[in-house]
Amino acid sequence: MIRYGIVGCGHIAKKHVAAIEAVEGAELVAVCDTNEERLREFAKDGIEGYTDLADMLKTNVDVVCICTPSGLHPKLTIQAAEAKKHVIVEKPMALTLEDADRMIEACERNGVKMAVVHPNRFRPAVAELRRQLDRGAFGKIGHANATVRWNRNQAYYDQAPWRGTKEMDGGVLMNQAIHNMDLLLWMMGDVEEVASYHATRIRNIEAEDTSVSVIKFKSGALGVLEAAVTIYPKNLEESLSIFGEKGTAIIGGPTANWIKHWKFEDISDEEAETTIKRIDEDPFGVPGHQCIIQDMTDAIREDRTPVVSGEEGRKALSLVIACQQSAETGKPVRMDDLQRKK
C-alpha cells in the first residue's frame, strides 16, 4: 500500500480523500491542520490527526498532499521533501518562480517525486483533443483560444482572509485560469512571448478579477486567453479551442467537458458525431484528482516521473508570471527570460 497524508483540511481536501479511497493500493493514514475543528472532520475511521506537520512527517506516510492556501505550498512542500516524502501539491504549485524552483530542487535533492494537481488533462474530451493533435489531424495550427468566464462573487472572497490577496491567492489567472493555461501549453507547446492586460473591475480584492492575454507560441501559432470571475450571475463558460488548416475543435460548456465543434478533413461527419456522443455519455470520466493519485501511486511503484511533474507545473506558473509581468509593465514578456536556471 502507498500511504497518503493530507495537509490542509479545507474544501479541496475532500477531493483528495475521495480520490485516495477510490485508488486501489492507496490508503489515507493521516491528516494535518492547525484548526482542530476542521481536523476532527477528517481524523476518523483510523485516520490519525495532527496539528503539526513535523509530527505527521515522523510517521510512515509515503506521500503528502498539500491542500493549503497557495502561499503556503512552498514551505510545506520543502518540509515534506526534506523528510523524504513524495509530494502532491495543489495548483498553483507556488506564487513565484523562485519558490517553485526551490520546491523542485528540494524534491530532486531528496530523491522524492512531485506532482502538481492539474486534473483537467484527464477529462475525456481533453484527452480526445490531445489524441487528435498527436496524430497531426489539425495540420498546421493557426491559433488557439482558452476562455474562463466564471463567477466568484464577493461572498466567495470574504469567506477567508487569504482569498483574493496577491500573497496567498494570486488572482484569476493564478487561482482559476492556471488550469486552462496548463492545457494550452500541453496542447500547443512552449510559448515565445506574451502580452497581457489585467484589471480589478468588480470584486473588492487586491489581485485582478479580469485578464486578457495574447500569446505567441514558439511554433509560430498564436493564442488568446480570456479569464474573469466577474460573470453575472453564475459560471457561464469554460472553453478550449484549436484552429488548424485541416481541423477545428472546440471543447466547452460551463466547464470544458463537452465537445461543441469537431471537424477534421480526414474524419467523416458520422465518425465525428460518434465521438461527440461518446463524450456526452460520460463527459466527466474518472475524477481528475483520482487520476492524479493513481498516477503518483503508479509512479512510485514503477519508479518514474509523475505525468504532471513539478517541471510541468512550473510551465503553467511561468505563463501566469509572464502575464502578470506584462500587465504590470505594459510590455510583452519573453518566456526564455523565465527559464529555470539549473
Side-chain angles (χ1 to χ4, degrees):
M1 297 292 286
I2 305 299
R3 298 173 294 272
Y4 284 80
I6 294 174
V7 183
C9 296
H11 169 73
I12 202 65
K14 295 177 182 178
K15 291 191 175 184
H16 285 254
V17 172
I20 294 165
E21 291 176 346
V23 172
E24 185 177 352
E27 179 184 14
L28 179 61
V29 298
V31 291
C32 177
D33 199 294
T34 56
N35 184 309
E36 294 189 12
E37 183 178 347
R38 285 200 303 262
L39 185 62
R40 282 193 292 271
E41 295 181 31
F42 290 79
K44 52 189 177 183
D45 301 327
I47 300 170
E48 295 295 327
Y50 300 87
T51 55
D52 190 332
L53 177 58
D55 292 333
M56 191 179 87
L57 294 176
K58 295 174 184 176
T59 70
N60 63 353
V61 165
D62 299 306
V63 185
V64 176
C65 297
I66 311 292
C67 300
T68 62
S70 304
L72 299 176
H73 291 174
K75 175 185 176 181
L76 300 177
T77 294
I78 293 169
Q79 187 178 354
E82 296 289 354
K84 310 298 184 184
K85 309 297 184 181
H86 305 291
V87 176
I88 295 176
V89 59
E90 270 291 337
K91 61 76 190 168
M93 63 183 292
L95 298 180
T96 70
L97 292 177
E98 292 77 13
D99 279 341
D101 291 343
R102 289 172 53 236
M103 295 160 70
I104 293 170
E105 289 159 8
C107 290
E108 290 177 345
R109 184 171 62 251
N110 288 282
V112 297
K113 303 182 190 303
M114 178 182 180
V116 182
V117 180
H118 282 298
N120 295 4
R121 292 191 186 194
F122 301 95
R123 291 174 174 176
V126 171
E128 184 62 39
L129 180 60
R130 177 58 191 250
R131 278 192 287 272
Q132 298 304 326
L133 279 166
D134 286 344
R135 75 178 189 85
F138 287 89
K140 187 176 183 179
I141 295 174
H143 76 287
N145 179 282
T147 301
V148 184
R149 294 169 176 164
W150 281 355
N151 175 281
R152 296 292 184 269
N153 60 23
Q154 194 61 45
Y156 167 86
Y157 290 103
D158 292 344
Q159 66 181 312
W162 65 271
R163 292 191 182 278
T165 65
K166 292 182 179 180
E167 182 180 4
M168 287 289 174
D169 180 300
V172 63
L173 287 187
M174 194 74 81
N175 201 24
Q176 280 83 29
I178 193 168
H179 285 310
N180 310 83
M181 300 167 98
D182 173 68
L183 292 184
L184 267 181
L185 292 167
W186 192 45
M187 300 291 179
M188 300 293 291
D190 292 339
V191 170
E192 180 177 316
E193 190 174 82
V194 63
S196 298
Y197 287 97
H198 289 180
T200 307
R201 292 290 298 164
I202 296 175
R203 303 297 173 234
N204 182 24
I205 59 176
E206 181 184 20
E208 84 282 350
D209 61 18
T210 307
S211 177
V212 178
S213 302
V214 178
I215 299 165
K216 181 180 180 182
F217 294 95
K218 288 191 173 180
S219 66
L222 301 180
V224 177
L225 173 70
E226 174 196 339
V229 287
T230 58
I231 306 306
Y232 179 84
K234 60 183 180 179
N235 288 4
L236 176 65
E237 176 187 7
E238 178 191 17
S239 64
L240 178 65
S241 308
I242 297 179
F243 306 98
E245 61 177 335
K246 298 179 180 179
T248 294
I250 300 174
I251 297 173
T255 55
N257 286 88
W258 290 267
I259 294 176
K260 296 298 184 179
H261 196 81
W262 201 252
K263 288 284 187 179
F264 296 93
E265 184 179 89
D266 64 349
I267 294 179
S268 67
D269 290 344
E270 292 77 13
E271 186 179 352
E273 189 62 30
T274 298
T275 299
I276 293 170
K277 286 183 178 179
R278 173 169 57 81
I279 299 298
D280 283 347
E281 289 172 359
D282 185 18
F284 298 99
V286 176
H289 280 76
Q290 182 179 330
C291 294
I292 294 286
I293 297 293
Q294 181 72 67
D295 180 61
M296 174 60 86
T297 302
D298 293 342
I300 294 171
R301 291 172 174 161
E302 299 165 9
D303 192 23
R304 62 167 173 80
T305 301
V307 170
V308 190
S309 64
E311 291 284 2
E312 287 293 292
R314 188 191 189 280
K315 290 179 182 179
L317 177 62
S318 296
L319 185 53
V320 174
I321 297 295
C323 291
Q324 291 177 337
Q325 289 184 359
S326 176
E328 290 167 3
T329 63
K331 299 178 181 179
V333 172
R334 294 187 63 82
M335 294 298 296
D336 286 346
D337 297 336
L338 304 181
Q339 292 298 311
R340 180 184 171 204
K341 297 176 177 59
K342 300 182 181 180

